Amino acid sequence: YARYFPMGRTTCVTTGGGGKDLYAVRADERLAYGESVFHFVELDLSPSRLVVRAIDAAGRTFDATTIDS
């Protein structure tokens, strides 16, 4: 899982912790948060806001961000 600092009006999130092998998160100055963990991502979308929550296999929210339009 990796979430990057906003670049203009774009926030990039890379997710892929669904069950196969995990990969180490590489250091990057653009990285706001990164963790190598089995997980899923929950999105809560409204016309003016996107809430992103990364949740691990134990149900713990380990990262969250809100993006307003």
Short mmCIF file of all heavy atoms in Angstrom, two decimals:
data_model
loop_
_atom_site.label_atom_id
_atom_site.label_comp_id
_atom_site.label_asym_id
_atom_site.label_seq_id
_atom_site.Cartn_x
_atom_site.Cartn_y
_atom_site.Cartn_z
N TYR A 1 0.84 -1.15 0.00
CA TYR A 1 0.00 0.00 0.00
C TYR A 1 0.89 1.22 0.00
O TYR A 1 1.88 1.28 0.75
CB TYR A 1 -0.90 0.00 1.23
CG TYR A 1 -1.70 1.27 1.39
CD1 TYR A 1 -2.93 1.41 0.77
CD2 TYR A 1 -1.21 2.32 2.14
CE1 TYR A 1 -3.66 2.57 0.91
CE2 TYR A 1 -1.93 3.48 2.28
CZ TYR A 1 -3.15 3.61 1.67
OH TYR A 1 -3.86 4.76 1.80
N ALA A 2 0.55 2.18 -0.82
CA ALA A 2 1.31 3.43 -0.85
C ALA A 2 0.37 4.57 -1.21
O ALA A 2 -0.41 4.46 -2.14
CB ALA A 2 2.44 3.36 -1.86
N ARG A 3 0.44 5.64 -0.43
CA ARG A 3 -0.32 6.86 -0.73
C ARG A 3 0.69 7.99 -0.84
O ARG A 3 1.54 8.18 0.02
CB ARG A 3 -1.35 7.18 0.36
CG ARG A 3 -2.12 8.47 0.07
CD ARG A 3 -3.20 8.72 1.10
NE ARG A 3 -2.73 8.67 2.47
CZ ARG A 3 -2.13 9.67 3.11
NH1 ARG A 3 -1.89 10.82 2.50
NH2 ARG A 3 -1.75 9.52 4.37
N TYR A 4 0.59 8.72 -1.91
CA TYR A 4 1.54 9.80 -2.19
C TYR A 4 0.95 11.16 -1.85
O TYR A 4 -0.27 11.33 -1.83
CB TYR A 4 1.95 9.74 -3.67
CG TYR A 4 2.70 8.48 -3.98
CD1 TYR A 4 2.04 7.31 -4.31
CD2 TYR A 4 4.08 8.45 -3.89
CE1 TYR A 4 2.74 6.13 -4.55
CE2 TYR A 4 4.79 7.28 -4.13
CZ TYR A 4 4.10 6.13 -4.46
OH TYR A 4 4.79 4.97 -4.68
N PHE A 5 1.81 12.11 -1.57
CA PHE A 5 1.37 13.48 -1.36
C PHE A 5 0.68 13.96 -2.63
O PHE A 5 1.03 13.53 -3.73
CB PHE A 5 2.56 14.40 -1.04
CG PHE A 5 3.19 14.14 0.30
CD1 PHE A 5 4.45 13.59 0.39
CD2 PHE A 5 2.50 14.43 1.47
CE1 PHE A 5 5.04 13.35 1.62
CE2 PHE A 5 3.07 14.18 2.71
CZ PHE A 5 4.34 13.64 2.78
N PRO A 6 -0.32 14.83 -2.48
CA PRO A 6 -1.00 15.34 -3.68
C PRO A 6 -0.02 16.00 -4.64
O PRO A 6 0.91 16.69 -4.23
CB PRO A 6 -1.98 16.37 -3.12
CG PRO A 6 -2.20 15.95 -1.70
CD PRO A 6 -0.89 15.37 -1.25
N MET A 7 -0.26 15.75 -5.92
CA MET A 7 0.50 16.39 -6.99
C MET A 7 -0.51 17.22 -7.77
O MET A 7 -1.28 16.66 -8.57
CB MET A 7 1.16 15.33 -7.88
CG MET A 7 2.22 14.54 -7.13
SD MET A 7 2.80 13.10 -8.04
CE MET A 7 1.78 11.83 -7.32
N GLY A 8 -0.57 18.51 -7.47
CA GLY A 8 -1.63 19.33 -8.02
C GLY A 8 -2.94 18.90 -7.39
O GLY A 8 -3.06 18.84 -6.18
N ARG A 9 -3.90 18.54 -8.22
CA ARG A 9 -5.20 18.08 -7.70
C ARG A 9 -5.32 16.56 -7.70
O ARG A 9 -6.40 16.02 -7.52
CB ARG A 9 -6.32 18.68 -8.54
CG ARG A 9 -6.40 20.20 -8.39
CD ARG A 9 -7.60 20.73 -9.06
NE ARG A 9 -8.78 20.02 -8.53
CZ ARG A 9 -10.01 20.33 -8.80
NH1 ARG A 9 -10.27 21.32 -9.60
NH2 ARG A 9 -11.01 19.64 -8.30
N THR A 10 -4.20 15.86 -7.86
CA THR A 10 -4.21 14.40 -7.96
C THR A 10 -3.50 13.77 -6.77
O THR A 10 -2.36 14.12 -6.46
CB THR A 10 -3.53 13.94 -9.26
OG1 THR A 10 -4.19 14.54 -10.37
CG2 THR A 10 -3.56 12.43 -9.40
N THR A 11 -4.17 12.82 -6.11
CA THR A 11 -3.57 12.03 -5.06
C THR A 11 -3.54 10.58 -5.55
O THR A 11 -4.58 10.02 -5.89
CB THR A 11 -4.39 12.11 -3.75
OG1 THR A 11 -4.42 13.47 -3.31
CG2 THR A 11 -3.78 11.24 -2.66
N CYS A 12 -2.36 9.99 -5.59
CA CYS A 12 -2.21 8.61 -6.08
C CYS A 12 -2.16 7.64 -4.91
O CYS A 12 -1.43 7.86 -3.94
CB CYS A 12 -0.94 8.48 -6.91
SG CYS A 12 -0.99 9.41 -8.44
N VAL A 13 -2.91 6.55 -5.03
CA VAL A 13 -2.90 5.46 -4.06
C VAL A 13 -2.64 4.18 -4.83
O VAL A 13 -3.33 3.89 -5.82
CB VAL A 13 -4.23 5.36 -3.29
CG1 VAL A 13 -4.25 4.16 -2.37
CG2 VAL A 13 -4.50 6.64 -2.50
N THR A 14 -1.66 3.40 -4.39
CA THR A 14 -1.37 2.10 -4.99
C THR A 14 -1.74 1.04 -3.95
O THR A 14 -1.29 1.10 -2.81
CB THR A 14 0.12 1.98 -5.35
OG1 THR A 14 0.47 3.02 -6.25
CG2 THR A 14 0.41 0.64 -5.98
N THR A 15 -2.59 0.11 -4.35
CA THR A 15 -3.03 -0.93 -3.44
C THR A 15 -2.87 -2.29 -4.10
O THR A 15 -2.99 -2.41 -5.32
CB THR A 15 -4.49 -0.68 -3.00
OG1 THR A 15 -4.90 -1.72 -2.11
CG2 THR A 15 -5.44 -0.62 -4.17
N GLY A 16 -2.56 -3.30 -3.33
CA GLY A 16 -2.36 -4.63 -3.91
C GLY A 16 -2.08 -5.67 -2.85
O GLY A 16 -1.39 -6.64 -3.12
N GLY A 17 -2.58 -5.49 -1.65
CA GLY A 17 -2.31 -6.41 -0.55
C GLY A 17 -3.41 -7.43 -0.36
O GLY A 17 -3.85 -7.67 0.76
N GLY A 18 -3.85 -8.05 -1.46
CA GLY A 18 -5.02 -8.93 -1.39
C GLY A 18 -4.75 -10.39 -1.12
O GLY A 18 -5.70 -11.14 -0.96
N GLY A 19 -3.51 -10.85 -1.08
CA GLY A 19 -3.35 -12.24 -0.75
C GLY A 19 -2.11 -12.94 -1.24
O GLY A 19 -1.75 -13.98 -0.73
N LYS A 20 -1.42 -12.45 -2.24
CA LYS A 20 -0.20 -13.10 -2.72
C LYS A 20 0.98 -12.57 -1.90
O LYS A 20 0.80 -12.12 -0.78
CB LYS A 20 -0.03 -12.81 -4.22
CG LYS A 20 1.06 -13.59 -4.89
CD LYS A 20 0.68 -15.04 -5.17
CE LYS A 20 1.71 -15.69 -6.05
NZ LYS A 20 2.41 -16.76 -5.49
N ASP A 21 2.18 -12.63 -2.45
CA ASP A 21 3.36 -12.16 -1.73
C ASP A 21 3.33 -10.65 -1.56
O ASP A 21 2.89 -9.92 -2.44
CB ASP A 21 4.63 -12.55 -2.49
CG ASP A 21 4.79 -14.06 -2.62
OD1 ASP A 21 4.29 -14.78 -1.74
OD2 ASP A 21 5.40 -14.50 -3.60
N LEU A 22 3.82 -10.18 -0.42
CA LEU A 22 3.93 -8.75 -0.17
C LEU A 22 5.30 -8.26 -0.63
O LEU A 22 6.28 -9.00 -0.61
CB LEU A 22 3.76 -8.45 1.32
CG LEU A 22 2.39 -8.77 1.90
CD1 LEU A 22 2.41 -8.57 3.41
CD2 LEU A 22 1.31 -7.93 1.26
N TYR A 23 5.35 -7.01 -1.04
CA TYR A 23 6.60 -6.38 -1.45
C TYR A 23 6.92 -5.24 -0.49
O TYR A 23 6.02 -4.60 0.05
CB TYR A 23 6.48 -5.81 -2.87
CG TYR A 23 6.20 -6.87 -3.90
CD1 TYR A 23 4.90 -7.16 -4.29
CD2 TYR A 23 7.24 -7.58 -4.48
CE1 TYR A 23 4.65 -8.14 -5.24
CE2 TYR A 23 6.99 -8.56 -5.43
CZ TYR A 23 5.70 -8.84 -5.81
OH TYR A 23 5.45 -9.80 -6.73
N ALA A 24 8.19 -4.98 -0.30
CA ALA A 24 8.63 -3.88 0.54
C ALA A 24 8.23 -2.55 -0.12
O ALA A 24 8.22 -2.44 -1.35
CB ALA A 24 10.14 -3.92 0.73
N VAL A 25 7.90 -1.59 0.71
CA VAL A 25 7.61 -0.24 0.21
C VAL A 25 8.94 0.48 0.04
O VAL A 25 9.75 0.53 0.96
CB VAL A 25 6.71 0.52 1.20
CG1 VAL A 25 6.47 1.95 0.74
CG2 VAL A 25 5.38 -0.22 1.39
N ARG A 26 9.15 1.00 -1.16
CA ARG A 26 10.41 1.72 -1.43
C ARG A 26 10.33 3.15 -0.94
O ARG A 26 9.30 3.81 -1.09
CB ARG A 26 10.68 1.73 -2.93
CG ARG A 26 11.06 0.38 -3.46
CD ARG A 26 11.53 0.50 -4.87
NE ARG A 26 10.76 -0.43 -5.70
CZ ARG A 26 10.67 -0.38 -6.99
NH1 ARG A 26 11.26 0.57 -7.65
NH2 ARG A 26 9.98 -1.27 -7.64
N ALA A 27 11.41 3.63 -0.39
CA ALA A 27 11.49 5.02 0.06
C ALA A 27 11.32 5.95 -1.14
O ALA A 27 11.86 5.70 -2.21
CB ALA A 27 12.83 5.28 0.74
N ASP A 28 10.55 6.99 -0.94
CA ASP A 28 10.29 7.96 -2.00
C ASP A 28 9.85 9.25 -1.32
O ASP A 28 8.95 9.24 -0.48
CB ASP A 28 9.18 7.44 -2.92
CG ASP A 28 8.97 8.30 -4.15
OD1 ASP A 28 8.96 9.54 -4.02
OD2 ASP A 28 8.76 7.73 -5.23
N GLU A 29 10.47 10.35 -1.67
CA GLU A 29 10.15 11.63 -1.03
C GLU A 29 8.70 12.06 -1.30
O GLU A 29 8.16 12.88 -0.57
CB GLU A 29 11.12 12.72 -1.48
CG GLU A 29 11.05 13.04 -2.95
CD GLU A 29 12.12 14.00 -3.40
OE1 GLU A 29 13.18 14.07 -2.76
OE2 GLU A 29 11.89 14.68 -4.42
N ARG A 30 8.08 11.50 -2.30
CA ARG A 30 6.68 11.83 -2.61
C ARG A 30 5.69 11.00 -1.80
O ARG A 30 4.50 11.25 -1.81
CB ARG A 30 6.41 11.62 -4.10
CG ARG A 30 7.28 12.48 -5.01
CD ARG A 30 7.19 12.03 -6.43
NE ARG A 30 7.70 10.66 -6.53
CZ ARG A 30 7.67 9.93 -7.63
NH1 ARG A 30 7.17 10.42 -8.73
NH2 ARG A 30 8.17 8.71 -7.64
N LEU A 31 6.20 10.01 -1.05
CA LEU A 31 5.36 9.07 -0.30
C LEU A 31 4.84 9.70 0.99
O LEU A 31 5.62 10.08 1.85
CB LEU A 31 6.16 7.81 0.00
CG LEU A 31 5.41 6.63 0.58
CD1 LEU A 31 4.39 6.09 -0.42
CD2 LEU A 31 6.40 5.53 0.97
N ALA A 32 3.51 9.80 1.12
CA ALA A 32 2.91 10.30 2.35
C ALA A 32 2.80 9.19 3.38
O ALA A 32 2.99 9.41 4.58
CB ALA A 32 1.54 10.89 2.08
N TYR A 33 2.46 7.96 2.91
CA TYR A 33 2.36 6.81 3.81
C TYR A 33 2.53 5.54 2.99
O TYR A 33 1.99 5.43 1.89
CB TYR A 33 1.00 6.77 4.53
CG TYR A 33 0.96 5.68 5.56
CD1 TYR A 33 1.42 5.91 6.84
CD2 TYR A 33 0.51 4.41 5.25
CE1 TYR A 33 1.42 4.90 7.79
CE2 TYR A 33 0.50 3.39 6.17
CZ TYR A 33 0.97 3.65 7.45
OH TYR A 33 0.98 2.64 8.38
N GLY A 34 3.24 4.57 3.54
CA GLY A 34 3.39 3.28 2.89
C GLY A 34 3.53 2.18 3.91
O GLY A 34 4.14 2.37 4.96
N GLU A 35 2.92 1.03 3.62
CA GLU A 35 3.02 -0.12 4.52
C GLU A 35 2.83 -1.39 3.70
O GLU A 35 1.95 -1.47 2.84
CB GLU A 35 1.97 -0.02 5.62
CG GLU A 35 2.14 -1.06 6.70
CD GLU A 35 1.29 -0.81 7.93
OE1 GLU A 35 0.89 0.35 8.17
OE2 GLU A 35 1.04 -1.77 8.66
N SER A 36 3.66 -2.38 3.98
CA SER A 36 3.57 -3.68 3.33
C SER A 36 2.74 -4.59 4.23
O SER A 36 3.24 -5.12 5.23
CB SER A 36 4.97 -4.26 3.11
OG SER A 36 4.89 -5.51 2.48
N VAL A 37 1.45 -4.73 3.91
CA VAL A 37 0.52 -5.44 4.78
C VAL A 37 -0.65 -5.96 3.93
O VAL A 37 -1.04 -5.32 2.96
CB VAL A 37 0.03 -4.50 5.91
CG1 VAL A 37 -0.69 -3.29 5.36
CG2 VAL A 37 -0.83 -5.24 6.92
N PHE A 38 -1.20 -7.12 4.30
CA PHE A 38 -2.41 -7.59 3.64
C PHE A 38 -3.54 -6.64 4.02
O PHE A 38 -3.71 -6.29 5.19
CB PHE A 38 -2.74 -9.02 4.06
CG PHE A 38 -1.75 -10.01 3.54
CD1 PHE A 38 -0.92 -10.70 4.41
CD2 PHE A 38 -1.63 -10.25 2.18
CE1 PHE A 38 0.01 -11.61 3.94
CE2 PHE A 38 -0.71 -11.17 1.69
CZ PHE A 38 0.12 -11.84 2.58
N HIS A 39 -4.32 -6.22 3.03
CA HIS A 39 -5.30 -5.16 3.28
C HIS A 39 -6.33 -5.07 2.17
O HIS A 39 -6.21 -5.75 1.14
CB HIS A 39 -4.58 -3.81 3.40
CG HIS A 39 -4.01 -3.35 2.10
ND1 HIS A 39 -2.81 -3.84 1.61
CD2 HIS A 39 -4.48 -2.50 1.15
CE1 HIS A 39 -2.58 -3.28 0.44
NE2 HIS A 39 -3.58 -2.46 0.12
N PHE A 40 -7.30 -4.21 2.41
CA PHE A 40 -8.21 -3.76 1.36
C PHE A 40 -8.40 -2.26 1.55
O PHE A 40 -8.04 -1.70 2.59
CB PHE A 40 -9.54 -4.52 1.38
CG PHE A 40 -10.37 -4.31 2.62
CD1 PHE A 40 -11.35 -3.33 2.66
CD2 PHE A 40 -10.17 -5.11 3.74
CE1 PHE A 40 -12.12 -3.14 3.79
CE2 PHE A 40 -10.95 -4.94 4.88
CZ PHE A 40 -11.92 -3.95 4.90
N VAL A 41 -8.97 -1.61 0.54
CA VAL A 41 -9.21 -0.17 0.61
C VAL A 41 -10.70 0.07 0.50
O VAL A 41 -11.37 -0.46 -0.38
CB VAL A 41 -8.43 0.57 -0.51
CG1 VAL A 41 -8.81 2.04 -0.55
CG2 VAL A 41 -6.94 0.43 -0.29
N GLU A 42 -11.21 0.87 1.43
CA GLU A 42 -12.62 1.26 1.44
C GLU A 42 -12.73 2.71 0.96
O GLU A 42 -11.98 3.57 1.42
CB GLU A 42 -13.16 1.15 2.87
CG GLU A 42 -14.59 1.60 3.03
CD GLU A 42 -15.02 1.54 4.48
OE1 GLU A 42 -14.68 2.46 5.24
OE2 GLU A 42 -15.68 0.55 4.84
N LEU A 43 -13.63 2.94 0.03
CA LEU A 43 -13.86 4.29 -0.49
C LEU A 43 -15.26 4.74 -0.11
O LEU A 43 -16.22 4.00 -0.28
CB LEU A 43 -13.73 4.30 -2.02
CG LEU A 43 -12.41 3.79 -2.59
CD1 LEU A 43 -12.49 3.76 -4.11
CD2 LEU A 43 -11.25 4.65 -2.13
N ASP A 44 -15.36 5.95 0.41
CA ASP A 44 -16.64 6.57 0.72
C ASP A 44 -16.72 7.83 -0.14
O ASP A 44 -15.98 8.78 0.07
CB ASP A 44 -16.71 6.91 2.21
CG ASP A 44 -18.05 7.46 2.64
OD1 ASP A 44 -19.00 7.50 1.82
OD2 ASP A 44 -18.16 7.87 3.81
N LEU A 45 -17.62 7.80 -1.11
CA LEU A 45 -17.68 8.84 -2.13
C LEU A 45 -18.97 9.63 -2.03
O LEU A 45 -20.05 9.06 -1.91
CB LEU A 45 -17.58 8.18 -3.51
CG LEU A 45 -17.58 9.07 -4.73
CD1 LEU A 45 -16.37 9.98 -4.74
CD2 LEU A 45 -17.61 8.22 -5.98
N SER A 46 -18.85 10.95 -2.07
CA SER A 46 -20.01 11.84 -2.16
C SER A 46 -19.71 12.84 -3.28
O SER A 46 -18.61 12.87 -3.81
CB SER A 46 -20.25 12.56 -0.83
OG SER A 46 -19.28 13.57 -0.61
N PRO A 47 -20.68 13.66 -3.65
CA PRO A 47 -20.43 14.62 -4.73
C PRO A 47 -19.26 15.58 -4.46
O PRO A 47 -18.63 16.07 -5.40
CB PRO A 47 -21.75 15.37 -4.85
CG PRO A 47 -22.77 14.40 -4.39
CD PRO A 47 -22.10 13.65 -3.26
N SER A 48 -18.95 15.83 -3.19
CA SER A 48 -17.91 16.82 -2.90
C SER A 48 -16.71 16.26 -2.14
O SER A 48 -15.77 16.99 -1.84
CB SER A 48 -18.51 17.97 -2.09
OG SER A 48 -19.01 17.47 -0.85
N ARG A 49 -16.71 14.94 -1.85
CA ARG A 49 -15.65 14.41 -0.99
C ARG A 49 -15.41 12.93 -1.28
O ARG A 49 -16.33 12.17 -1.53
CB ARG A 49 -16.05 14.60 0.46
CG ARG A 49 -15.11 14.01 1.47
CD ARG A 49 -15.50 14.35 2.87
NE ARG A 49 -15.14 15.75 3.05
CZ ARG A 49 -15.38 16.45 4.13
NH1 ARG A 49 -16.02 15.91 5.14
NH2 ARG A 49 -15.00 17.70 4.21
N LEU A 50 -14.13 12.55 -1.18
CA LEU A 50 -13.73 11.14 -1.25
C LEU A 50 -12.94 10.83 0.01
O LEU A 50 -11.97 11.51 0.33
CB LEU A 50 -12.86 10.88 -2.48
CG LEU A 50 -12.20 9.51 -2.58
CD1 LEU A 50 -13.25 8.41 -2.70
CD2 LEU A 50 -11.23 9.46 -3.74
N VAL A 51 -13.39 9.82 0.75
CA VAL A 51 -12.67 9.35 1.93
C VAL A 51 -12.08 7.98 1.58
O VAL A 51 -12.80 7.09 1.13
CB VAL A 51 -13.59 9.25 3.17
CG1 VAL A 51 -12.82 8.73 4.37
CG2 VAL A 51 -14.21 10.61 3.48
N VAL A 52 -10.78 7.85 1.77
CA VAL A 52 -10.06 6.61 1.48
C VAL A 52 -9.56 6.04 2.81
O VAL A 52 -8.90 6.75 3.57
CB VAL A 52 -8.85 6.87 0.55
CG1 VAL A 52 -8.11 5.58 0.25
CG2 VAL A 52 -9.30 7.56 -0.74
N ARG A 53 -9.89 4.77 3.07
CA ARG A 53 -9.42 4.09 4.28
C ARG A 53 -8.73 2.79 3.88
O ARG A 53 -9.33 1.99 3.17
CB ARG A 53 -10.57 3.77 5.23
CG ARG A 53 -11.18 4.94 5.91
CD ARG A 53 -12.29 4.49 6.87
NE ARG A 53 -13.14 5.62 7.20
CZ ARG A 53 -14.20 6.00 6.51
NH1 ARG A 53 -14.57 5.33 5.44
NH2 ARG A 53 -14.90 7.04 6.86
N ALA A 54 -7.52 2.59 4.35
CA ALA A 54 -6.80 1.34 4.15
C ALA A 54 -6.96 0.52 5.44
O ALA A 54 -6.65 1.00 6.52
CB ALA A 54 -5.34 1.60 3.85
N ILE A 55 -7.46 -0.71 5.28
CA ILE A 55 -7.81 -1.54 6.43
C ILE A 55 -7.07 -2.87 6.32
O ILE A 55 -7.13 -3.55 5.28
CB ILE A 55 -9.34 -1.76 6.46
CG1 ILE A 55 -10.05 -0.41 6.52
CG2 ILE A 55 -9.74 -2.66 7.63
CD1 ILE A 55 -11.53 -0.46 6.24
N ASP A 56 -6.38 -3.26 7.39
CA ASP A 56 -5.60 -4.50 7.34
C ASP A 56 -6.48 -5.72 7.63
O ASP A 56 -7.68 -5.60 7.89
CB ASP A 56 -4.38 -4.42 8.26
CG ASP A 56 -4.71 -4.42 9.75
OD1 ASP A 56 -5.87 -4.72 10.14
OD2 ASP A 56 -3.80 -4.10 10.54
N ALA A 57 -5.86 -6.91 7.59
CA ALA A 57 -6.60 -8.16 7.74
C ALA A 57 -7.25 -8.32 9.12
O ALA A 57 -8.21 -9.06 9.26
CB ALA A 57 -5.67 -9.34 7.46
N ALA A 58 -6.77 -7.58 10.11
CA ALA A 58 -7.36 -7.63 11.45
C ALA A 58 -8.47 -6.61 11.61
O ALA A 58 -9.09 -6.52 12.68
CB ALA A 58 -6.27 -7.39 12.50
N GLY A 59 -8.74 -5.82 10.57
CA GLY A 59 -9.80 -4.80 10.64
C GLY A 59 -9.34 -3.45 11.12
O GLY A 59 -10.15 -2.55 11.33
N ARG A 60 -8.03 -3.27 11.28
CA ARG A 60 -7.46 -2.00 11.76
C ARG A 60 -7.29 -1.04 10.59
O ARG A 60 -6.71 -1.40 9.56
CB ARG A 60 -6.10 -2.29 12.40
CG ARG A 60 -5.29 -1.05 12.79
CD ARG A 60 -3.90 -1.43 13.32
NE ARG A 60 -3.04 -1.93 12.27
CZ ARG A 60 -2.08 -1.22 11.67
NH1 ARG A 60 -1.85 0.02 12.02
NH2 ARG A 60 -1.33 -1.77 10.72
N THR A 61 -7.80 0.17 10.73
CA THR A 61 -7.53 1.22 9.74
C THR A 61 -6.12 1.72 9.97
O THR A 61 -5.80 2.26 11.02
CB THR A 61 -8.54 2.38 9.87
OG1 THR A 61 -9.85 1.87 9.62
CG2 THR A 61 -8.24 3.49 8.88
N PHE A 62 -5.24 1.49 9.00
CA PHE A 62 -3.84 1.89 9.18
C PHE A 62 -3.49 3.14 8.39
O PHE A 62 -2.43 3.71 8.60
CB PHE A 62 -2.88 0.74 8.86
CG PHE A 62 -2.89 0.26 7.44
CD1 PHE A 62 -2.05 0.82 6.50
CD2 PHE A 62 -3.74 -0.77 7.05
CE1 PHE A 62 -2.06 0.37 5.18
CE2 PHE A 62 -3.75 -1.23 5.75
CZ PHE A 62 -2.91 -0.66 4.80
N ASP A 63 -4.37 3.60 7.52
CA ASP A 63 -4.17 4.88 6.84
C ASP A 63 -5.52 5.36 6.35
O ASP A 63 -6.39 4.56 6.01
CB ASP A 63 -3.21 4.76 5.65
CG ASP A 63 -2.88 6.11 5.04
OD1 ASP A 63 -2.52 7.04 5.80
OD2 ASP A 63 -2.99 6.24 3.82
N ALA A 64 -5.70 6.67 6.36
CA ALA A 64 -6.93 7.27 5.86
C ALA A 64 -6.61 8.68 5.38
O ALA A 64 -5.72 9.35 5.92
CB ALA A 64 -8.00 7.32 6.94
N THR A 65 -7.35 9.10 4.38
CA THR A 65 -7.22 10.47 3.88
C THR A 65 -8.55 10.90 3.32
O THR A 65 -9.36 10.08 2.90
CB THR A 65 -6.10 10.58 2.83
OG1 THR A 65 -5.83 11.96 2.57
CG2 THR A 65 -6.46 9.89 1.54
N THR A 66 -8.78 12.19 3.34
CA THR A 66 -9.99 12.79 2.77
C THR A 66 -9.58 13.75 1.67
O THR A 66 -8.68 14.56 1.86
CB THR A 66 -10.80 13.54 3.85
OG1 THR A 66 -11.15 12.60 4.87
CG2 THR A 66 -12.04 14.17 3.28
N ILE A 67 -10.25 13.64 0.54
CA ILE A 67 -9.97 14.50 -0.61
C ILE A 67 -11.25 15.25 -0.93
O ILE A 67 -12.29 14.65 -1.24
CB ILE A 67 -9.51 13.67 -1.83
CG1 ILE A 67 -8.27 12.86 -1.45
CG2 ILE A 67 -9.27 14.58 -3.02
CD1 ILE A 67 -7.92 11.78 -2.45
N ASP A 68 -11.21 16.58 -0.81
CA ASP A 68 -12.36 17.41 -1.12
C ASP A 68 -12.24 17.94 -2.55
O ASP A 68 -11.14 18.21 -3.03
CB ASP A 68 -12.45 18.59 -0.14
CG ASP A 68 -12.75 18.12 1.27
OD1 ASP A 68 -13.71 17.36 1.44
OD2 ASP A 68 -12.02 18.51 2.20
N SER A 69 -13.41 18.11 -3.19
CA SER A 69 -13.39 18.61 -4.57
C SER A 69 -13.18 20.11 -4.61
O SER A 69 -13.27 20.79 -3.65
CB SER A 69 -14.67 18.26 -5.29
OG SER A 69 -15.77 18.86 -4.65
#
